[in-house]
Amino acid sequence: MPGDQPADLSQTAIDDLVAQALTAFADAATGAELKAARLAHTGDRSPLALANRAIGTIPGPERKDAGQRLGAARAQVGRALADREAAIGAAELAQRLASERIDVTLPVELGPEGAQHPITALMDLMNDVFLDMGWEVAEGPEAEGEWLNFDALNIGPDHPARGTTDTLFVAPIENHVVLRTHTSPVQIRSMLDRPLPIYVVCPGKVYRADEFDATHVPVFHQIEGLVVDQGISLAHLKGTLDHLARSMFGEDVETRMRPHYFPFTEPSAEVDLLCFVCHGASVGNPDAPCRTCRSQGWIEWGGCGVVNPRVLAAAGIDTDLYSGFAFGMGIERTLMFRNNAADMRDMVEGDVRFSRSLKGMAR
Amino acid sequence: MRAPLSWLAEHVDLPEGLTGRELGEVLIRAGLEVEKVEEVGSDITGPVVVGRVLAFVDEPQKNGKTIRWVQVDVGPAHNEPHPDYAQGCRSVVCGAHNFAVGDLVVVSLPGSVLSGGFAIAARKTYGHVSDGMICAEDELGIGHDHTGIIVLPDDAGLQPGDDPAGVLHLRDDVLDIDVSPDIGYCLSIRGLAREAGQNLGRTFTDVIDRPTPPTKLDGYPVRLDDPACPLFVALGVTGIDPSRPTPRWMARRLVMAGMRSISLAVDITNYVMLETGQPLHAYDASLLRGPIVVRMAAPGETLVTLDDVTRTLAPGDLLITDDSGPIGLAGVMGGASTELRDTTTDVVIEAASFEPVTISRTLRRHNLPSEASKRFHRGVDPDAAYSAAHLAARLLVELAGGTLSAAETVAGAVPAMPVQAIDAGLPSRILGLDVPPERVVEILRASGCDVELDGHRLSLVPPTWRPDLVDPYDYVEEVGRKIGFDKLPSVVPSAPVGRGLSAGQRARRAIGATLADAGFVEVLTFPFGSAEDLDRLGVPADDARRALVRLANPLAETAPYLRTSILPGLFAAVGRNTSRGNDDLALYEAGSVFLAGDGSVAPIPSVSGRPTSDELTAIEAALPRQPRYLAAVICGQWRRPGWQGEAIAAGWPQAFAFADRAASAVGADVERRSAEDAPWHPGRCAELVVAGEVVGHAGELHPDVVRAFGLPERTAAVELDLDALVRLAPGAGSIRPVSGHPVAKEDVALVVPDSVAAGAVQQALVDGAGELLESISLFDVYTGGHVPAGHRSLAFALRFRAPDRTLTDVETAAARDAAVALAGERCGAVLRAF
């Protein structure tokens, strides 16, 4: 076909070339075969290309007709090629996709599984409840002046909690520096440092010369709240604790404020939660004891009350104008109730399995 | 305080059928911590009946014991036919001998279950089939006595077959109450009955019904030399019969209240104390020497207390003395020299009032918690002393056959209670509930207060048993408790607009979240440690971490200091993990360390007002410095081998990356410089530099440290000053325009001596390339081949881009050449041909 012979530009000859090309394309089963057919029938050295080049040699009036014939033929071949290319491409893609199926259940990882400690996560979560209400988060040192930890809180020099059996002292004891036994000194610092009104929570680590067992650790975490404003009442404390309880334990939670005694609040109360497990059904029912509430029906969550005016006075606040409330609860205890953590020792032993036990929003 | 319901019911008209549990609920809402309600005797079931002993035979046994084979009439419903007895009987083996024919006893028949789940069945023993058991006190849970069986009184009208529960006081509900320090009066049946009456709206009858007479010293001579004892009542009772036993009802109540029955006279003083709250002491009058004098101890004085311990007294210990010296630690414990003997016939009863703080100091000084000190340190009603002494005297007369001396001593007087005036609207304002003044008056009067309402002012005097009612808010609480906190509305207060988290708090949150995302696991460890920890870290003597803060009373003598580094705690956590099979670890902790300050004394300012700024400054100065640190330890495999690829060992690269990630979380960059510091490998340690300041160190641990702490080989660690990192973090950054023009990539390999840090070469390239350089990264470190010994080849990928045009080849090459030239100049870097 290709050669030095003058090209035959007759309709018959062109039709023949077109037919050859279409057959070759149709016979091509793969992309590679189609590429070979494309080069053979549309390439620079293909008969149609050579014929096209020969048009210029055709004299006068015949040139136009030959050009039109050839143009139509090349267009037809081009369309056929594109169609075939699309068909083969689609078939080959389908085959490739079929062959590339993966097992989506294989384990994948970007890196090791990190985690924040559940106590940290819960503390952040509790802080957020108050931040959302416009409160701020106050912090203070863990080794603290005895005055801030006790005296300013109306815990007098003879109070038993100030003994070495309850409180860890920095040596020598006469220097009056203790490891804070609650985050309440941060409340005092807030009252000394912040402008009124005050709406703060004080989360952090606290220390007690306590035993170390499933429900007691000598180093643990608390969150305390303090409000000092005009017209603050016990009803405001109740509202705040109800809101916190609902945020932590869901809308159905039931709270109870029970009168109690603390030196730094007056009136004072303890706040209890209705047992999540037995809902009080275990009380007086030895056949269905409840481990969670020890068949008491209620779980003690924290302490609270109206700030004793003696405390406000020690911080230089005018008790005729201002009143306040305060509350505090253990983060570890809250974690036990909220996430069923059974043993407090797990929280301080550093086992990675404990740290990893709660993920993301499941905290 | 353990309070039997039956005892309370003698003092308050409780509603018919009220159970202990129901009363407990009422008291809980009134602020009493009812820890549990024990249904005493409810565990005894089945046929436990009164029996009359018809006959018995004593049968000696081979084991030396003599058992009794007893025939006992247990009533028509339970008797079995017997040839000798028309009414029938049961035959029982009994080990005790303290009964006679005709006595009434308690028989538990087969099918009954006794205290502690002890099931009774007919069983063969000592050659007989014993058809039940004759009971002793302990088997019924009503006492500790097992010296003999219970013999019931003949005059109670009991017949065989009757239920003995009533006469034995078998069934009762006992409320176990943890009394908070402000309501000491509730450490008595009297106080609890009063609370029950007030909260149930029922009539309370006060057992304290004799007004304290004015001072009279007709009885045993008493002198009060110290104001810590304002009142001392002494009554004499003579001619008591020391052999009389404590009646069953009294012993039973003492046991239910958690005390033991000792002897009649002692039991009477304890019984009256439980009932009235007034601790009493009884002296053997024959052992007293001269007048009783109440005074403070002199230095060096000693006293042998009732528990036979010789106690060295301190000035500040209030004493009861006579001519022989101290005979009692006032309000805490009596002395051995004058205690009641089993021969005592004449007693002097003491009922006194002591100042709570004095008693509280003494009880702590001598670590002597007692039933008396428990009450005195909370405060005892001084007006109860006289009546309580008479109650005890009357019982000694009635039960022990004594005679009360008409001459009595009342030394001192009941102190006056403080007057307070409050606005009648205060309870409403502080409780957040409208309480009309009349209601306030009604409640406080019911609580025993003298109340005068004058316009809006209330003039108040608390009753003598309420030393806790002092401040205006104390009265608010009293009103609130009696209304019930459950009646208060629940109102969320509106806070002003807050500023959210502080910048530091946000930064620390971001760092924690970033590190957890990066694969590190947070743990919390105890912040205590030892000097040996620092030795094992290799920390030199002059290191800042040696500024240890010691605890006066550490939890463990092996860890007496507060930590100056988080790492030893993390190393211990590694040990706990690896021992449990968790081998691949990347642990971190953020927390305070404690660096000793100047050791100055923190002042204790007055609490009457805000301390001066000097006082506050002095408190701050006395505290240790407590920066927050951030530390991590990494060991094992960072990535385990798996289908995705080979294992990646965990080590110093992750320690460096930890610091980089922490810094980038707050927008900072960390520059690493080769450094030497404990506890790191001297050739594999970097100091971490942020904004020109060294904030910490990271790298592989020194092999000695790895060995000393028992860590896996090649363990790496990082520790940095978190507060410093947060402080040095830049503020909000600015965004560079993003160029849409093409990038021009150039790779260069530079041969440098081993001593030249890659970071220095990179910095030279950056500085030399100028502002067209968009980014640079080190992609290969190569030694050997054509690279001369002592040198290495560092290959960098440079990306150039202009903000406003497409770079020409010439421009790119010029920038690259300038970069290489500066690297050559600064670092001796030579371009290596590929």
Side-chain angles (χ1 to χ4, degrees):
Chain A
M1 297 181 310
D4 295 325
Q5 298 292 318
D8 179 355
L9 294 177
S10 69
Q11 186 66 53
T12 313
I14 289 172
D15 285 347
D16 189 36
L17 288 177
V18 167
Q20 284 176 32
L22 296 190
T23 303
F25 293 164
D27 288 348
T30 67
E33 286 172 21
L34 185 62
K35 186 180 174 190
R38 173 169 60 83
L39 288 173
H41 297 280
T42 66
D44 287 350
R45 306 288 297 163
S46 65
L48 278 172
L50 295 175
N52 194 44
R53 225 178 286 160
I55 284 176
T57 62
I58 296 173
E62 286 175 32
R63 187 191 296 168
K64 189 182 171 195
D65 287 348
Q68 281 174 351
R69 282 198 298 277
L70 200 57
R74 285 171 53 123
Q76 189 186 356
V77 168
R79 277 195 303 276
L81 177 63
D83 289 349
R84 189 64 190 145
E85 273 175 349
I88 287 179
E92 285 190 341
L93 181 61
Q95 193 184 3
R96 178 182 145 201
L97 295 179
S99 71
E100 287 179 353
R101 173 173 291 274
I102 58 162
D103 178 355
V104 298
T105 67
L106 282 173
V108 293
E109 59 178 27
L110 287 174
E113 183 193 351
Q116 279 187 284
H117 195 278
I119 291 290
T120 306
L122 183 55
M123 204 143 61
D124 284 351
L125 203 61
M126 294 178 90
N127 286 340
D128 286 344
V129 172
F130 293 98
L131 289 162
D132 288 348
M133 291 198 290
W135 298 33
E136 294 182 7
V137 178
E139 293 166 308
E142 293 167 21
E144 183 61 284
E146 206 177 337
W147 185 84
L148 286 151
N149 195 73
F150 291 126
D151 299 81
L153 289 154
N154 194 36
I155 303 172
D158 287 302
H159 196 282
R162 294 181 74 150
T164 50
T165 49
D166 290 344
T167 300
L168 296 175
F169 283 79
V170 167
I173 289 178
E174 304 76 57
N175 277 14
H176 300 307
V177 176
V178 299
L179 296 187
R180 66 182 181 192
T181 58
H182 40 200
T183 58
S184 309
V186 184
Q187 296 191 28
I188 302 295
R189 289 174 175 275
S190 299
M191 288 189 266
L192 291 170
D193 297 343
R194 289 171 180 258
L196 293 163
I198 294 167
Y199 288 78
V200 293
V201 278
C202 317
K205 199 171 275 190
V206 300
Y207 301 77
R208 304 268 171 94
D210 212 343
E211 62 263 61
F212 184 32
D213 60 31
T215 53
H216 297 86
V217 279
V219 183
F220 58 101
H221 298 77
Q222 274 192 336
I223 185 164
E224 294 189 3
L226 170 72
V227 167
V228 181
D229 203 347
Q230 296 185 12
I232 288 297
S233 74
L234 203 55
H236 290 126
L237 170 61
K238 199 172 179 182
T240 303
L241 289 172
D242 283 345
H243 176 68
L244 177 64
R246 282 193 298 270
S247 305
M248 286 295 109
F249 304 105
E251 289 298 318
D252 300 336
V253 73
E254 202 175 317
T255 61
R256 173 175 82 174
M257 231 162 73
R258 181 167 44 78
H260 196 69
Y261 172 75
F262 300 110
F264 30 88
T265 47
E266 186 79 27
S268 302
E270 282 192 323
V271 58
D272 297 341
L273 304 166
L274 185 65
C275 180
F276 315 111
V277 177
C278 72
H279 302 282
S282 68
V283 179
N285 185 3
D287 296 333
C290 179
R291 229 163 41 103
T292 305
C293 66
R294 291 176 297 129
S295 300
Q296 302 284 295
W298 294 86
I299 299 165
E300 189 187 313
W301 190 23
C304 60
V306 170
V307 180
N308 193 318
R310 289 172 186 252
V311 175
L312 297 180
I317 292 171
D318 183 345
T319 56
D320 287 335
L321 281 177
Y322 287 91
S323 54
F325 68 72
F327 61 85
M329 56 268 308
I331 312 271
E332 279 81 356
R333 268 179 86 70
T334 307
L335 187 73
M336 292 180 101
F337 305 149
R338 192 169 182 278
N339 303 96
N340 306 316
D343 194 325
M344 270 196 196
R345 286 170 292 202
D346 291 340
M347 303 181 192
V348 295
E349 286 188 338
D351 192 309
V352 290
R353 292 169 300 170
F354 182 82
S355 293
R356 285 184 180 134
S357 46
L358 301 175
K359 288 179 188 174
M361 294 299 286
R363 294 188 285 231
Chain B
M1 176 76 197
R2 291 170 54 87
L5 188 63
S6 65
W7 201 348
L8 290 170
E10 287 177 6
H11 300 262
V12 59
D13 163 37
L14 294 177
E16 193 72 33
L18 183 82
T19 65
R21 202 173 296 288
E22 287 161 350
L23 179 58
E25 279 304 314
V26 170
L27 295 179
I28 285 171
R29 299 211 174 254
L32 286 151
E33 200 161 337
V34 181
E35 297 208 305
K36 59 174 189 269
V37 178
E38 221 171 281
E39 292 169 335
V40 172
S42 64
D43 54 343
I44 296 178
T45 58
V48 176
V49 299
V50 174
R52 187 178 298 278
V53 177
L54 297 171
F56 62 79
V57 182
D58 284 342
E59 298 179 350
Q61 301 294 317
K62 273 182 248 148
N63 63 6
K65 284 186 187 167
T66 298
I67 62 107
R68 266 182 188 183
W69 175 236
V70 189
Q71 276 69 51
V72 56
D73 175 3
V74 290
H78 300 292
N79 280 338
E80 300 283 343
H82 190 279
D84 298 346
Y85 306 104
Q87 78 273 40
C89 69
R90 295 271 185 139
S91 298
V92 176
V93 169
C94 182
H97 301 99
N98 66 323
F99 59 95
V101 169
D103 278 354
L104 288 173
V105 297
V106 180
V107 185
S108 57
L109 295 169
S112 58
V113 178
L114 301 186
S115 184
F118 177 22
I120 301 298
R123 68 187 181 102
K124 208 164 180 305
T125 177
Y126 293 113
H128 298 286
V129 174
S130 183
D131 208 8
M133 187 179 81
I134 302 179
C135 299
E137 279 187 1
D138 62 342
E139 288 149 352
L140 294 173
I142 58 173
H144 305 290
D145 189 18
H146 193 71
T147 54
I149 54 105
I150 299 167
V151 177
L152 296 170
D154 227 358
D155 53 5
L158 291 170
Q159 296 298 322
D162 285 354
D163 184 350
V167 70
L168 290 177
H169 310 278
L170 205 54
R171 263 294 290 127
D172 213 331
D173 284 354
V174 178
L175 285 77
D176 191 347
I177 300 169
D178 185 8
V179 175
S180 58
D182 59 329
I183 46 173
Y185 70 102
C186 285
L187 284 171
S188 66
I189 297 295
R190 178 198 184 206
L192 292 170
R194 183 192 302 281
E195 283 290 321
Q198 198 179 350
N199 287 289
L200 287 162
R202 310 290 288 200
T203 310
F204 162 75
T205 310
D206 199 346
V207 70
I208 299 299
D209 53 1
R210 292 172 190 244
T212 307
T215 299
K216 52 176 167 178
L217 303 169
D218 310 339
Y220 199 89
V222 173
R223 198 175 81 230
L224 307 182
D225 278 0
D226 196 281
C229 176
L231 177 69
F232 194 113
V233 175
L235 300 184
V237 178
T238 54
I240 65 168
D241 175 357
S243 68
R244 296 268 190 102
T246 301
R248 181 172 304 286
W249 59 269
M250 182 181 280
R252 178 76 180 122
R253 281 192 172 165
L254 289 173
V255 169
M256 283 195 289
M259 298 187 77
R260 294 182 79 95
S261 173
I262 293 160
S263 68
L264 178 58
V266 172
D267 287 354
I268 286 171
T269 58
N270 284 335
Y271 183 83
V272 173
M273 173 186 71
L274 290 170
E275 186 164 80
T276 63
Q278 169 69 53
L280 300 171
H281 188 71
Y283 300 93
D284 183 324
S286 71
L287 300 172
L288 286 172
R289 300 281 172 267
I292 289 175
V293 176
V294 185
R295 60 166 171 83
M296 286 298 175
E301 274 189 297
T302 60
L303 168 68
V304 180
T305 42
L306 278 178
D307 52 3
D308 283 325
V309 177
T310 303
R311 308 205 178 254
T312 303
L313 307 169
D317 286 337
L318 188 66
L319 298 180
I320 315 296
T321 66
D322 68 2
D323 290 349
S324 70
I327 57 169
L329 207 42
V332 176
M333 193 173 273
S337 67
T338 56
E339 81 177 297
L340 300 185
R341 315 284 148 106
D342 49 17
T343 54
T344 300
T345 55
D346 300 342
V347 301
V348 172
I349 301 167
E350 165 203 312
S353 177
F354 301 114
E355 190 193 44
V357 170
T358 306
I359 303 306
S360 151
R361 287 178 186 159
T362 293
L363 102 86
R364 263 184 292 139
R365 193 178 294 129
H366 298 285
N367 189 25
L368 258 179
S370 66
E371 290 291 335
S373 66
K374 186 162 91 182
R375 289 171 172 79
F376 277 122
H377 98 90
R378 286 172 165 85
V380 169
D381 179 2
D383 205 22
Y386 183 72
S387 280
H390 271 281
L391 280 173
R394 196 179 72 208
L395 288 168
L396 282 169
V397 170
E398 285 174 7
L399 302 175
T403 305
L404 172 62
S405 309
E408 56 186 30
T409 294
V410 179
V414 176
M417 298 303 286
V419 183
Q420 181 60 266
I422 68 168
D423 186 303
L426 186 69
S428 299
R429 287 204 301 280
I430 298 306
L431 296 173
L433 175 76
D434 186 37
V435 189
E438 304 73 44
R439 177 91 178 105
V440 173
V441 170
E442 184 195 351
I443 288 171
L444 292 177
R445 282 193 180 141
S447 298
C449 299
D450 274 344
V451 189
E452 301 278 347
L453 178 60
D454 178 15
H456 270 281
R457 300 298 286 173
L458 289 174
S459 175
L460 301 159
V461 183
T464 47
W465 62 87
R466 293 300 300 270
D468 61 306
L469 295 177
V470 178
D471 291 349
Y473 279 41
D474 298 335
Y475 289 96
V476 171
E477 176 173 84
E478 183 64 11
V479 172
R481 285 205 310 144
K482 293 293 147 61
I483 289 173
F485 288 178
D486 50 337
K487 303 286 191 305
L488 301 181
S490 178
V491 182
V492 181
S494 299
V497 173
R499 294 167 293 182
L501 291 173
S502 70
Q505 288 162 350
R506 274 193 294 131
R508 277 180 270 127
R509 266 202 194 189
I511 288 170
T514 299
L515 293 173
D517 280 351
F520 295 89
V521 176
E522 186 185 20
V523 295
L524 299 173
T525 66
F526 286 174
F528 307 115
S530 66
E532 292 73 29
D533 284 341
L534 297 180
D535 296 342
R536 288 189 289 163
L537 287 178
V539 169
D542 59 349
D543 191 282
R545 285 168 287 184
R546 292 281 181 181
L548 287 165
V549 177
R550 191 180 169 83
L551 293 177
N553 54 333
L555 292 169
E557 284 303 332
T558 49
Y561 295 102
L562 290 169
R563 66 183 175 195
T564 55
S565 165
I566 296 175
L567 290 176
L570 285 179
F571 295 164
V574 167
R576 282 191 290 274
N577 274 287
T578 52
S579 74
R580 296 172 181 183
N582 310 323
D583 297 326
D584 303 320
L585 299 167
L587 308 180
Y588 80 94
E589 180 172 3
S592 295
V593 299
F594 304 81
L595 303 166
D598 59 8
S600 63
V601 175
I604 305 279
S606 150
V607 292
S608 59
R610 186 189 168 93
T612 64
S613 61
D614 284 352
E615 286 167 331
L616 292 173
T617 307
I619 289 176
E620 295 305 323
L623 303 182
R625 211 164 66 73
Q626 299 167 60
R628 291 185 192 83
Y629 275 18
L630 174 65
V633 54
I634 301 113
C635 61
Q637 292 175 339
W638 181 253
R639 194 178 80 183
R640 283 168 222 175
W643 67 273
Q644 281 183 293
E646 296 294 299
I648 296 174
W652 60 263
Q654 286 80 24
F656 291 166
F658 177 89
D660 289 351
R661 295 298 288 265
S664 71
V666 293
D669 289 319
V670 176
E671 182 194 342
R672 287 190 301 273
R673 295 184 197 139
S674 183
E676 289 186 25
D677 193 30
W680 286 277
H681 183 310
R684 297 187 166 192
C685 171
E687 59 184 21
L688 307 169
V689 183
V690 175
E693 212 173 287
V694 176
V695 299
H697 291 83
E700 186 176 303
L701 290 173
H702 195 290
D704 287 345
V705 175
V706 167
R707 200 175 314 114
F709 284 94
L711 298 168
E713 289 298 311
R714 304 282 178 196
T715 295
V718 46
E719 180 156 49
L720 58 87
D721 183 334
L722 181 56
D723 286 340
L725 172 61
V726 169
R727 175 170 47 80
L728 295 168
S734 62
I735 298 170
R736 281 172 58 170
V738 176
S739 169
H741 293 278
V743 67
K745 299 176 185 171
E746 291 281 345
D747 290 349
V748 294
L750 299 171
V751 176
V752 292
D754 283 345
S755 60
V756 173
V761 179
Q762 176 162 325
Q763 192 56 51
L765 289 170
V766 169
D767 294 346
E771 59 186 15
L772 293 179
L773 182 70
E774 185 180 73
S775 70
I776 180 168
S777 69
L778 174 71
F779 67 90
D780 193 26
V781 180
Y782 178 72
T783 53
H786 298 298
V787 178
H791 289 67
R792 56 190 179 147
S793 165
L794 305 172
F796 294 90
L798 288 70
R799 291 162 64 91
F800 296 95
R801 202 184 321 243
D804 53 352
R805 64 188 188 283
T806 301
L807 289 176
T808 65
D809 290 351
V810 175
E811 283 178 298
T812 305
R816 178 201 62 205
D817 291 346
V820 171
L822 194 60
E825 200 175 299
R826 280 195 200 161
C827 310
V830 175
L831 194 62
R832 172 173 162 240
F834 276 99

